[in-house]
Amino acid sequence: MVVPTAGAAFDPVGVAAGLASAASMSAGTVLTQRWGRPEDVGPPALTAGSSPRAGC
């Protein structure tokens, strides 16, 4: 549980990072649904391959 103090404020860099990560996840979900998963790649391999790229 996070209990903010009276002087608490949003960090603009943190807000921007949160919005960018939400946009990245949304784009990845939409593109995966549109293009589909390659037939010779299972869900664990797809996740293992896309996770490092998402962090870049």
Side-chain angles (χ1 to χ4, degrees):
M1 177 193 274
V2 176
V3 180
T5 61
F10 286 112
D11 178 23
V13 175
V15 172
L19 292 174
S21 66
S24 175
M25 180 66 186
S26 299
T29 301
V30 168
L31 292 175
T32 301
Q33 297 246 335
R34 179 176 294 176
W35 293 337
R37 180 173 39 99
E39 293 184 22
D40 59 340
V41 176
L46 182 66
T47 303
S50 63
S51 293
R53 285 188 293 264
C56 292

